[in-house]
Amino acid sequence: MNGKKTDQDPPLAPADMALACLARGDAEQAESLLRAHLRLNPADAQGWHAMACIARAGGNAAAAVALAGKAVELAGEPFFYITLGLALLELGHVEQARAAANVAVLATPADPRAHDAMGQILEKSGRLPEAEQALKKARTLRPLEPARHMALAAFLARHGRVEEAISLSARALRLAGEDVAAHNLHAMLLERAGRMGEAEPHFRYVAQAMPDNPQALANHGAALFAIRDYEGAEQALRLSAALAPDVAETLTNLGLVLMAQGRLHSAGQVLEAAYRQRPDDARLALNYGTVLMDLGHTQTARDLFTQAMQRATTLQDRARATLDLAGLCLSVGEFAQGWALFEARRDLLAPPHCVASMAQWDGRATTGAVLLYAEQGLGDALQFLRYVGLAAQRARVSLLVPQSMHALVRCLLPQWGGRVQLCWPEQASHAEACCSLLSLPQRLGVASPFAWQPDLACFAGPVPPCVGEGLRVGLCWSGNPSYQFDRRRSLAPALLGGLAAVKGVSFQALQPCSRLEDVPLPLSPLPAGDLLATARLIAGLDVVVSVDTMIVHLAGLLGKPTLLLNRYAGDWRWAAASTLPAGGTASPGALERSVWYPSVRIVRQPAPEGDVPSWHHPLATAAHWLEQAVLCKEQGGCSHEL
């Protein structure tokens, strides 16, 4: 036999026909067929059981219990008890559900469906080891059935065993091949494990198989956003929103995608629509407030952040809202309040493992040693090194920084009078308390920003050769691409072509670049080395031009004339409250000067005329600034006037 239906095959029973309709998603047709059949055949137990399945599928557990109970009265088939047990479980009658499922397990111990149902019921009652064994039994009975591996994988994931679950879902996928549910489960588990790059192809498969399913499209859009395919994410999320326009989560993700592209006005409209749907949702208020702050609507953003803090239901959501309010306060010059709120970082970012159990230093003078540790990026660590000397006046300091900073910091140690020493993680326990570098302004009570430049002689050493003649310019055009909103602060290399027209300039890359041919100007590659090697390279340059990356902090620390090409709505540390007019007085066309780094000048993207801010003005300003620097060098050096 070839398995195909022939004229001699018996017709399907009404119950089977109805369940086939249900499997196709046509519950209405299935119910209509059965009602007509049961009016003529009220003693058909299979028909009543099929009606119970339809009721369960429609979310009517009470009706499912009554219908499955009638089927059991007419003919006590074991699988009737499975449906009855699961319907009872949905109503919260756990013990009755277990008793019903137990009938099926005892009557048909080789039926995996019975063990699967018992696993679900035992899990609900908190008997997790027994639930796991029941699900494993079901898998053992049908080792080639993908659903058994998927059920166990989902159970393990619900209880924190995600990597084991991924292994099982991968096995189910190998067995299932093109099964959409298997791809979806595997994608969800990979997402939970933070492996979104691996999850995206499976979310894509589901979305392609279900192009009219808004949830499938939304999941794929979120995955594309996570891997920074913003154009693809926008397309998927817009399709999802067109099919289901009232899903706030989809609109939120779409708004964040638009923000990542720098399209703030469009993002504001979408995030406002999401917020209006659920104005009591702290996360939606926070996202909407964030884009409003970037657009300059400071007071409304402040109100939304405060609202989000008050309505947050988790510690993490409250901390995120508090941290955004901290950034707002710091950007407008409310430094004392901003530093206090900035401490909310500690509820979001785990400290280094070696200091997790240590007491926090409150900033008071002590005879013991205090461990100061770096967190977040290298730029943050460099900026907040200025507080180490103040801390060393109150305690002996052990300083824990990334290894790439060790050589640089070792050069700084003599400037702190022997009160500071470098520390490795295994030495952390020698200190009596700890404090993040970023917490020092609050702990030391130093509210306002201040400039700090160490004695440059401490960095003396072999200076890497600078290729080229004329004005030697260090150039950094992009940040870390792993940062979700990096596109807003980074420049496409093709935009740098205008700088090549400046005469008398040689360019030195201050960032790794595997394809220098993509940069439309002559450029010497960045030599290998740590932060001290980069500092010595910068020391041999005349000026630096950079977007907002660690390079600006390093060049500023060295007192090197630096032009920051700052994105529209940039970071708080370059906001108006942390800048002064160049030369101390405002004049038309004058560049702002950083309070943190007096040698750093700032040119900003203007407010966008369309949807995306343009780099035309900052780059034109950079070209003019370099022309002035060339003249200064030719006239014998006047870099302090830049």
Side-chain angles (χ1 to χ4, degrees), residues 215-357:
Q215 187 60 58
L217 292 165
N219 288 343
H220 188 217
L224 290 168
F225 177 44
I227 64 172
R228 296 162 188 78
D229 179 355
Y230 301 129
E231 287 73 21
E234 179 183 353
Q235 181 181 14
L237 291 166
R238 286 196 184 280
L239 287 171
S240 177
L243 292 167
D246 297 328
V247 180
E249 288 77 12
T250 302
L251 293 175
T252 296
N253 283 335
L254 177 57
L256 294 175
V257 167
L258 295 169
M259 278 190 70
Q261 296 179 76
R263 297 162 58 186
L264 299 182
H265 290 295
S266 295
Q269 294 170 0
V270 174
L271 291 172
E272 180 183 13
Y275 169 70
R276 297 301 176 199
Q277 288 187 18
R278 295 208 305 264
D280 292 334
D281 189 309
R283 294 186 182 184
L284 301 184
L286 177 59
N287 289 327
Y288 183 37
T290 300
V291 73
L292 287 179
M293 182 173 71
D294 281 354
L295 289 168
H297 304 302
T298 306
Q299 186 55 53
T300 307
R302 187 192 297 265
D303 293 342
L304 286 165
F305 294 154
T306 303
Q307 173 187 322
M309 290 167 59
Q310 295 169 344
R311 295 179 177 174
T313 57
T314 69
L315 179 64
Q316 289 75 18
D317 286 349
R318 186 174 299 109
R320 290 188 187 97
T322 305
L323 200 54
D324 275 9
L325 183 57
L328 186 152
C329 290
L330 294 171
S331 69
V332 300
E334 298 170 6
F335 289 104
Q337 182 182 0
W339 295 129
L341 294 169
F342 200 45
E343 290 296 281
R345 303 180 329 277
R346 294 170 55 200
D347 292 325
L348 290 175
L349 303 171
H353 180 72
C354 60
V355 305
S357 60

Side-chain angles (χ1 to χ4, degrees), residues 78 99 101-109 114-115:
N102 196 50
V103 172
V105 169
L106 293 175
T108 53
H115 295 281

Side-chain angles (χ1 to χ4, degrees), residues 473-535:
V473 180
L475 187 61
C476 179
W477 59 92
S478 63
N480 185 346
S482 66
Y483 173 51
Q484 186 66 268
F485 295 94
D486 179 66
R487 186 185 291 191
R488 289 179 60 188
R489 67 174 177 181
S490 293
L491 279 160
L495 297 176
L496 298 171
L499 299 183
V502 181
K503 304 300 183 182
V505 171
S506 60
F507 290 98
Q508 168 67 57
L510 293 178
Q511 65 178 71
C513 183
S514 59
R515 291 178 53 86
L516 289 178
E517 62 269 23
D518 292 339
V519 184
L521 45 78
L523 195 67
S524 299
L526 177 69
D530 61 8
L531 215 56
L532 178 59
T534 304

Side-chain angles (χ1 to χ4, degrees), residues 587-591:
S587 61
L591 296 172

